Amino acid sequence: MSAVPKGDYEGIRNEVRKILKKPGYDDGSIGPVLVRLAWHASGTYSAKDKNGGSNGAGMRFAPESDDGANAGLEFARQFLDPIAEANPWISRADLWTLAGVTAVEAMGGPVVPWKPGRTDFQSAKHASEYRGNIADRLPDAAQGAQHIRDIFYRMGFNDQEIVALSGAHNLGRCHRDRSGFEGPWVVNPTRFSNQYFRLLTTRKWTPKKWDGPLQYETVVAGKELMMLPTDLALIEDDKFRPYVEQYAKDQKLFFKDFAAAFGKLIDLGINRDANGLASVGGCPFAGAARSNL
């Protein structure tokens, strides 16, 4: 990896773009897992408790790193480590989220608004003191509509934003050795599109007959695709379904709404000072101090 001048975030984006293609890994790209890293690093936020979220890069430490919902994300963090090591001026929290939005755009998706300034926890002790108990804050794919609302309402999202964010399932696949589920949602899981919504509304989804957890399946162009219970909940719920149908018909609308919702997600709970630097637990820690982490 190359070192880029301090503050050159476009240079960091270019470094991320260089590593996206990864023959032999999933479908040949690490883009989807980078999006998942940014998502899961941010999705622990609680508007009520004012903690969690991407600031601090708490997934470097247990128990967040050991959360079953984050299984496999150690690979995403490892993919980005060489960029971080070559550029110690950028915090892990900024790098993870910037890599996620860069991957979305590189895979044909919209430009997601992103601002720097996140800082990193100095230690596991610091992370624990600031974040407290953030267990069970990420979605459980085996649940239904009420669970989805409980998770996303906690962060401050409405039903429309929930459906838009669910469109991230246009990317990547499930792995049985990580989540218990298996397979991709769409035919091309490395291209961002509205196919996820089109498939939800046009295909018949039947329970998969196997020894794993409940998931649904269909076959498109000879390829077996899957949906999770939380995916089917979007078309079974009367308030979610209209947004699914809108996005299935209008990719431009979906891109616009996804960019807004994902930009909001990765910025939840971040309070910046006059210089744009975010504080963690009341104290700002610049990425340059990362040698002490």
Side-chain angles (χ1 to χ4, degrees), residues 209-228:
K209 296 179 180 179
W210 70 327
D211 61 352
L214 175 64
Q215 65 179 63
Y216 299 85
E217 65 180 355
T218 195
V219 176
V220 177
K223 187 171 185 178
E224 183 178 310
L225 305 179
M226 69 94 204
M227 290 286 173
L228 303 168

Side-chain angles (χ1 to χ4, degrees), residues 4-17 83 87 89-91 93-95 97-99 101-102 114-118 272 275-277 287:
V4 301
K6 183 177 181 179
D8 181 5
Y9 295 103
E10 185 57 34
I12 296 295
R13 285 180 183 268
N14 287 334
E15 293 302 298
V16 171
R17 294 182 186 111
I83 297 177
N87 297 278
W89 57 267
I90 187 171
S91 68
D94 268 351
L95 176 59
T97 51
L98 181 57
V101 301
T102 300
W114 179 88
K115 292 186 294 186
R118 296 165 190 78
R272 295 181 173 86
N275 296 316
L277 190 66

Side-chain angles (χ1 to χ4, degrees), residues 160 164 243 246-247 250-259:
Q160 172 264 313
Y243 298 113
Q246 288 178 31
Y247 296 147
D250 191 338
Q251 180 169 280
K252 184 177 180 181
L253 175 65
F254 164 54
F255 276 25
K256 178 180 74 69
D257 288 352
F258 177 84

Side-chain angles (χ1 to χ4, degrees), residues 7 75 131 221 249 288:
F75 299 112
R131 292 168 93 80
K249 296 175 182 177

Side-chain angles (χ1 to χ4, degrees), residues 1 4 10 17 20 31 45 60 65 102 107 111 113 122 153 156 183 222 231 243 253 258:
M1 292 298 103
V4 301
E10 185 57 34
R17 294 182 186 111
L20 289 178
Y45 179 70
R60 292 169 297 142
S65 60
T102 300
M107 290 184 287
V111 176
Q122 287 185 313
Y153 283 9
D231 298 314
Y243 298 113
L253 175 65
F258 177 84

Side-chain angles (χ1 to χ4, degrees), residues 27-277:
D27 300 282
S29 171
I30 66 170
V33 77
L34 296 185
V35 175
R36 181 170 170 246
L37 175 64
W39 205 119
H40 282 223
S42 308
T44 56
Y45 179 70
S46 170
K48 178 182 178 181
D49 300 313
K50 306 297 183 186
N51 63 12
S54 65
N55 204 29
M59 205 188 298
R60 292 169 297 142
F61 308 113
E64 190 174 349
S65 60
D66 299 329
D67 188 332
N70 291 328
L73 289 179
E74 66 272 17
F75 299 112
R77 300 193 297 272
Q78 291 165 11
F79 289 142
L80 294 175
D81 279 347
I83 297 177
E85 291 162 4
N87 297 278
W89 57 267
I90 187 171
S91 68
R92 285 302 206 288
D94 268 351
L95 176 59
W96 294 354
T97 51
L98 181 57
V101 301
T102 300
V104 168
E105 183 179 355
M107 290 184 287
V111 176
V112 177
W114 179 88
K115 292 186 294 186
R118 296 165 190 78
T119 49
D120 290 338
F121 292 125
Q122 287 185 313
S123 64
K125 182 175 183 292
H126 183 211
S128 178
E129 289 174 348
Y130 175 59
R131 292 168 93 80
N133 183 10
I134 60 169
D136 302 320
R137 287 192 177 178
L138 293 169
D140 177 354
Q143 302 295 318
Q146 186 56 55
H147 170 76
I148 296 171
R149 288 193 170 91
D150 289 344
I151 293 293
F152 284 89
Y153 283 9
R154 186 202 71 232
M155 290 185 272
F157 289 108
N158 60 34
D159 287 354
Q160 172 264 313
E161 292 169 318
I162 290 172
V163 177
L165 285 171
S166 298
H169 283 174
N170 276 283
L171 301 173
R173 61 173 56 239
C174 287
H175 302 77
R176 191 169 187 181
D177 61 345
R178 301 177 190 177
S179 64
F181 301 100
E182 180 67 34
W185 288 268
V186 301
V187 174
N188 186 347
T190 63
R191 179 176 62 84
F192 200 77
S193 72
N194 68 338
Q195 188 183 56
Y196 167 76
F197 297 112
R198 289 189 280 114
L199 290 171
L200 267 176
T201 55
T202 61
R203 291 284 171 166
K204 181 179 180 181
W205 295 92
T206 58
K208 181 180 177 68
K209 296 179 180 179
W210 70 327
D211 61 352
L214 175 64
Q215 65 179 63
Y216 299 85
E217 65 180 355
T218 195
V219 176
V220 177
K223 187 171 185 178
E224 183 178 310
L225 305 179
M226 69 94 204
M227 290 286 173
L228 303 168
T230 46
D231 298 314
L232 269 292
L234 298 181
I235 57 173
E236 294 167 348
D237 184 271
D238 291 340
K239 294 183 179 179
F240 285 147
R241 186 177 180 105
Y243 298 113
V244 175
E245 292 173 342
Q246 288 178 31
Y247 296 147
K249 296 175 182 177
D250 191 338
Q251 180 169 280
K252 184 177 180 181
L253 175 65
F254 164 54
F255 276 25
K256 178 180 74 69
D257 288 352
F258 177 84
F262 198 68
K264 175 180 173 178
L265 172 67
I266 60 175
D267 216 47
L268 287 174
I270 298 176
N271 298 311
R272 295 181 173 86
D273 61 20
N275 296 316
L277 190 66

